[in-house]
Amino acid sequence: MSVSSPTAAVGSFTQAAFDAHLAKVSHLPAWWLDRKRAAYERFAVAPMPKRTNEGWRFSNLAALTLDGFNPAPAACPFAQMDHHELGVTGAGHLVFANNRLVASQPLAAEAAKQGIIFDTLQNALLKHGDLVRAHLLTQPSKLGSDKFAALHEAFLEDGAFIHVPKGVTAPLPVGVFHYACGDGTAVFPHTLVIAEDNAKITVADFFRTGSGASPAPRAFACGGNDLYAGHGASVTYVAMQDWSRETLSFQFNATLARRDARVLSLNLHAGARQARHESFSQLAAPGAHSEMLALTVAHGTQEFDQRTLQIHQAPNTSSNLLYKNALLDQAKTIFSGLIVVDADAQKTDAYQSNRNLMLSDDAEAHSLPGLEIQANDVRCTHGATSARIDREQEFYLESRGIKPAQAQELLVFGFFEEVLGKIEHQELHDTLTDIIREKFRA
Amino acid sequence: MSQLEIKDLHISIGEKSIVKGFNLTIKPGEVHAIMGPNGTGKSTLAKAIAGHPDYTITSGDVLLDGQSVLAMEPDERARTGLFLAFQYPSEIPGVSIANFLRAAVQARMAEGEELDATAYYKRLYTKMDMLKIDRKFTARAVNDGFSGGEKKRCEILQMAMLEPKIALMDETDSGLDIDALRIVAEGVNAIRAGAQPPGILLITHYQRLLDYIVPDFVHVMYAGRIVKSGDKHLALELEAKGYDWVKKEFAAATAS
């Protein structure tokens, strides 16, 4: 009875493609394969987003095609990739290309001895099935992309699994690299971070195109991360989205913070033609805190679409969202954020702010901040601003002999530092700063 | 040695003419104080010479070492040797003083030349010691949350680091208590005592500053030009008598 054409609804991700994918992962636990089948069903029947969907307001729906992608890209040898390290000496890393592990550096002996697990999701599914089952993709998709989130679950082949046992502090950050190589490639990266009670870890995710080939390869990236912080745990998660400028990108984040836990996530957005990022933080028990940060450098005709949800479910929880965008050329950003405070989440302290730095008259920034408060004793603030570079600040720098282009760069970094400065690990902070500097000059 | 010549300078903001025929030559190492009532064009003069985009120079010329600076962008003027110490320095959140000054020093180096970081910090710390500025200061964002005194000391630190040929100091004393004023003045005097002291145009409202930074010349500016010049005694006379007599003299002179 369906009226929409089946190819429009699933594009390249046909039943046959899904069956071929399932055959590749048939060695994984049955419960996971069942979940994938159910996810594929949800994906296939869900309609594409429509103009009337509030969750897609201002988004370029015309460019959201699922056609013309390769759901089973060929393997990509590590030697052919233009790989950059995390910049943290001795840190463990996993490198995935076209959904498969191509290189890795195990954790230092000290970290391994403490029982920290840093492995592929496939290995974790086989060896730590219960842990994965309890935390992988268990949060509902609430921000509009249920169809694409289902596609992610259906085609998710491999990713990173990080588990930090109770009371253990990981001595160094770990790095996870996801590459997409070749034209039309579809990738489904995932990073699952589980920090048990009073554990502490920093994880950095990098999303890149395998080589600086020109013209930029077309790709489809549909990734996610789950961040779980148990009682008193602390998770710092940094993601650098730097896909090719011809990529359609989706990223879904689900954060769950238990009693007195603290999660900081910082998403840097630089790549893709059109990138949608959905971030969902659940403050599930008293004292939980979530710091939701993002920086975007938007060039050309790039579109960055950011949708966020902060749900306060318990008293004395706090969240702080700060999304900063620098827009050049004809770039477009959309920020839509909602803070929800449940009736019994008294003494909630929630903050939400979107700041746009307009570096071009032709760029476009949309802000849709929102609050939904059921408790009566809370402090919630939100705000959005769009401003150009301050002329007096620019003149001040230039009056010291600094050339206009460099003055602008300094001011943009000054604008970003409020966010970058929250990364306490100095080497990681410097790596991120260098990447953004390079992006800004690109 | 460097000199600044300001020749029959006329400056407008929008349609409004502010500076009307200003003439002055500052020779190397000389300190010229410009005094005068509010709204007479003192700050306009300093900002326009530095190249602020809000001000239009409608006629006249400004020459540094015989070369006109008017066709230059603000950053070029600075690299040529002009320095403006701002009355209200901008706050620049997120940009540390160390990075900011390094960018300014680097801008003066040849393309491809690498900054010697060790030598840079050594020089920076020497100048900070001279100005009695705590070294922790370098990690702070430029002027962000600074007190009035800290902002002005930061201006003098920049002047000491960039070693301009000509410094235009716009109401450097405003907003300072007497202790802060003394520290700032000591810094300026230390720069004056250097091997190649800059020529200084010192704009002030009050004679008080001139007790600490003793000028070679004092000029009274009124209605957009210099109406009276003298030595440091002129400042004391102005302090005692106010500006009314200058205004009257000017009215009589222009009426005749």
Side-chain angles (χ1 to χ4, degrees), chain A residues 31 121 124-125 128-136 161 192 194:
Chain A
W31 67 264
L121 257 182
L125 277 158
H128 314 284
D130 291 346
L131 270 177
V132 177
R133 193 172 189 173
H135 297 286
L136 178 65
F161 174 82
L192 169 59
I194 305 165

Side-chain angles (χ1 to χ4, degrees), chain A residues 1 14 21 87 90 97-98 116 140 154 162 182 202 215 234 252 267 281-283 286 316 348 361 371 408 424-425:
Chain A
M1 301 300 276
T14 58
H21 165 72
N98 292 4
I116 301 173
I162 297 126
T202 296
S234 168
F252 310 113
N267 287 277
S281 266
Q282 228 174 306
L283 292 313
N316 294 299
T348 281
D361 290 339
L371 297 173
Q408 186 166 312
E424 288 169 11
H425 194 281

